[in-house]
Amino acid sequence: MPFPEGVPSVPVRYSITSPADGGPGEGTLQLMPTVPAIRIPGAEGVFTGGGTYRFVDGQLDNGNGDQVRLLPTNIDGANPTVWAWLGIEQVDGRQPRYFYFVLDADAEEVDLGAVQQLAPDLAQYLAVPGESAYDAWRRAGNDGDEADFLASLVGPPGDITAANEYTDEAVTEGLAAEVQRADAAYDPAGAAGDAYTAAVDAASSDAATKAATARDAAIASAAQDADTKAGNAQSAAVQAAAAAAAGLYLPKALLTVDAFMAQPGTKVFGHRGAGMVCPEHTEAAYDYAIAHGIQAMELSVNVDSEGQLWCLHDLTLDRTTYNTGALNTYPSTGIANRVLTNGRVMLGQGWTDQSMVPLRRMLDKYLGKVVLFVEPKGNDAVVPLQNLLATSYPHAPASVIWKAHVGTSFMWPKQQGYRTWCYVDDGSANSVLDGKDSLVDYWGVSTSMTSTRRKEIVARGKPVFSWPVYRRSQRAALEADGVVGLMSSDPVYVRGTTAQATASRWDQQVKESGGTPQTDYNVDAALKFSETGGWVSINRSRGTYGLGRYCPIVPGAGGYRIQIEMKYDQINTADLAVHGGLYLGKVSDDPYEFNTLNPSNGYHLILRHNGILRLYRHVTTQTGGIQIGATDIATDAPVAGQSMTIQIDVTPTTIEARRLGNAAWTTGPIADASYRGGYFGLSNGSITDVAARPHWRNLLITQL
């Protein structure tokens, strides 16, 4: 919607590039003013401004295909006069980036990627006109116009005669005193004697005064010193008694940080509880992790408008709930009764909407039973968290790790006896780490950091934990680099080494542990569940989805069989050669994509919209597949909405694909034993029009 006539605006642009492949980035940019509202001269009402905008082909878009326009921050006569824009950038599912900037009203266009970022201390409040003194006078029961009001402020005149008499009397007395002093001046002897007497009296009085002052100061100093020493002694005694009482009566940690770290093997922590299996930072996510034997988990913390702390990763509610705006603008009762998380969007509509969880509830429930990584995400949450831990949970240092970014202070937690985990940026210099080293117990590195850099940080000599870990293949690479702790949002799967099931239950419409989309924490890449029939699909161009829950497949003596139903709800009549299917035979759960260089070898099966069935090898050295088998297998062309059953048999020496319904619809056993890894998944293959994407159901793994 355009701005009202007469209200200035500045067109802005912003280009982002995916850090993964260098192509156009995907994500959103939320823009909010740092003030609640802005009044513009000549415009009715106030402006709240901003909104959430998506990137289309890497370019910021207002949702209508037009350029985004924003209010400038230096409009003449605007109220308040000092404010800035807050940008919250979410790109390719990575952690949000926050930045502040100003806009010049005279600018023809502004590139947000080049603006100077500001410190976030520009909060101002909008002045609201109050009641005038004249209105208050009328409300008090007085009648009349403004002239009558002004007249009421003038009192009656004074008594001029009395004033003159007073002045005449004072002048007369003053003249008499001056005459007396003048007469004394003409009596030298008398004046000298009087001066001598006055000097003696003054000296005596001064000496007495100084002596009394010195005495009083000495008494006061001694009394103050005694009070101070008594107070110090009392405080020390109280603290000693409190410590002794705490040792006797406060809960003892069943699992301390030191005992947990002394356990052998790689440690797995629940990231956001178990945020890729359950709605993140909810009680359900925490309970899932702990119920499955995870002994450490993360509690991200932010604060509401009343000072209560809640488990929440972002500063705003936009991404993880049905509400919008900063958490610190909501009252506690509103959050408790009206705010629900939107995990159904990414984790399946089978989920029940979850309430947000107060930090106190999780501390009361799990403190001392498991190790907790606690992190204040916003600056305004730091002091409330410190106060809460110090006053209500003085025993927390035994089982809590203070988690924070390398750019924050670790002084308070170390003074209180906490172990500290400092996570660093991929580009953090050694000098930055050196400056924090004395206050850090464990270092944190990301999975996007190069292996070489991770090894350098491991070589510093302190335990290193990594985040975010979604796949077993990531775990293997990190362990090879010397990382000893994994922060995972699917901790049960990442910790495991075996398959959890052999038959699907997609009819429940909930994401399974071990499901690995191409991009994590990304709605577009998530598995989609049909409302009926138990079908699943990937609503993304050439999208794939790993089925780690069923991996690695355990073959019998004769091998194994994958059987699955597949359908196309829409046939691409313009290009019947497009296809979808499965990939399989991979030794790890790294991502797969058709016609792309992939990190590991394997096979893929395709079923075209014209009914052609094929098997291919894919290798790490070329993008295109290598067809195996002598000829294409011509099956009946798929019918929109009609189910087809696919089988793949893998023996120690052969591989065979077939479509059930006709004995001729098979590749026959193909002699090929190139790859026998146990990881597989679903693939949209070459399909870019998601309306023509495949759907799958009723997966079954059996031994041969």
Side-chain angles (χ1 to χ4, degrees), residues 142-423:
N142 298 297
D143 293 325
D145 55 19
E146 293 186 8
D148 297 324
F149 164 65
L150 294 174
S152 71
L153 302 178
V154 181
D159 187 343
I160 300 301
T161 302
N164 288 337
E165 290 177 354
Y166 172 79
T167 301
D168 291 343
E169 181 179 355
V171 170
T172 301
E173 291 178 353
L175 287 173
E178 287 299 319
V179 170
Q180 183 178 2
R181 189 169 56 185
D183 290 342
Y186 285 97
D187 182 9
D194 292 343
Y196 172 78
T197 300
V200 172
D201 292 342
S204 176
S205 175
D206 182 61
T209 299
K210 289 181 177 177
T213 300
R215 179 198 61 200
D216 293 343
I219 292 173
S221 177
Q224 183 178 8
D225 183 62
D227 287 344
T228 299
K229 290 179 177 177
N232 291 341
Q234 182 185 37
S235 298
V238 170
Q239 291 176 358
L248 291 172
Y249 300 109
L250 286 176
K252 300 294 190 299
L254 300 178
L255 180 64
T256 66
V257 174
D258 292 342
F260 175 66
M261 290 303 299
Q263 295 177 3
T266 303
K267 317 298 183 299
V268 179
F269 322 128
H271 189 209
R272 308 182 188 185
M276 279 295 288
V277 184
C278 308
E280 67 174 69
H281 286 305
T282 63
E283 191 164 2
Y286 300 134
D287 287 350
Y288 170 87
I290 303 307
H292 286 79
I294 300 302
Q295 294 184 291
M297 64 182 177
E298 173 199 44
L299 302 175
S300 294
V301 180
N302 273 302
V303 67
D304 66 21
S305 63
E306 299 178 50
Q308 183 175 359
L309 295 164
W310 297 84
C311 296
L312 179 69
H313 179 275
D314 301 352
L315 299 180
T316 70
L317 300 175
D318 298 40
R319 181 178 62 85
T320 57
T321 77
Y322 298 105
N323 295 74
T324 59
L327 178 71
N328 62 15
T329 65
Y330 282 75
S332 301
T333 50
I335 297 170
N337 291 283
R338 299 290 293 175
V339 177
L340 295 174
T341 62
N342 62 358
R344 293 158 49 89
V345 176
M346 188 168 64
L347 302 177
Q349 61 269 36
W351 266 99
T352 302
D353 291 333
Q354 302 293 307
S355 300
M356 289 185 60
V357 58
L359 175 64
R360 273 185 175 272
R361 184 185 303 169
M362 290 299 93
L363 291 176
D364 291 342
K365 188 172 186 177
Y366 286 125
L367 181 62
K369 299 178 182 178
V370 296
V371 170
L372 300 176
F373 289 79
V374 179
E375 179 185 14
K377 301 298 289 189
N379 291 337
D380 54 352
V382 174
V383 173
L385 176 59
Q386 292 174 347
N387 291 339
L388 175 65
L389 293 175
T391 57
S392 299
Y393 304 96
H395 51 303
S399 57
V400 167
I401 296 175
W402 184 274
K403 171 179 177 278
H405 182 256
V406 68
T408 61
S409 172
F410 289 85
M411 188 65 69
W412 182 88
K414 290 306 295 180
Q415 290 175 341
Q416 307 304 311
Y418 287 92
R419 299 291 187 270
T420 57
W421 181 39
C422 174
Y423 60 95

Side-chain angles (χ1 to χ4, degrees), residues 93-104:
R94 295 176 178 272
Q95 292 189 354
R97 183 178 76 90
Y98 299 81
F99 61 96
Y100 296 80
F101 60 91
V102 296
L103 289 178
D104 190 342

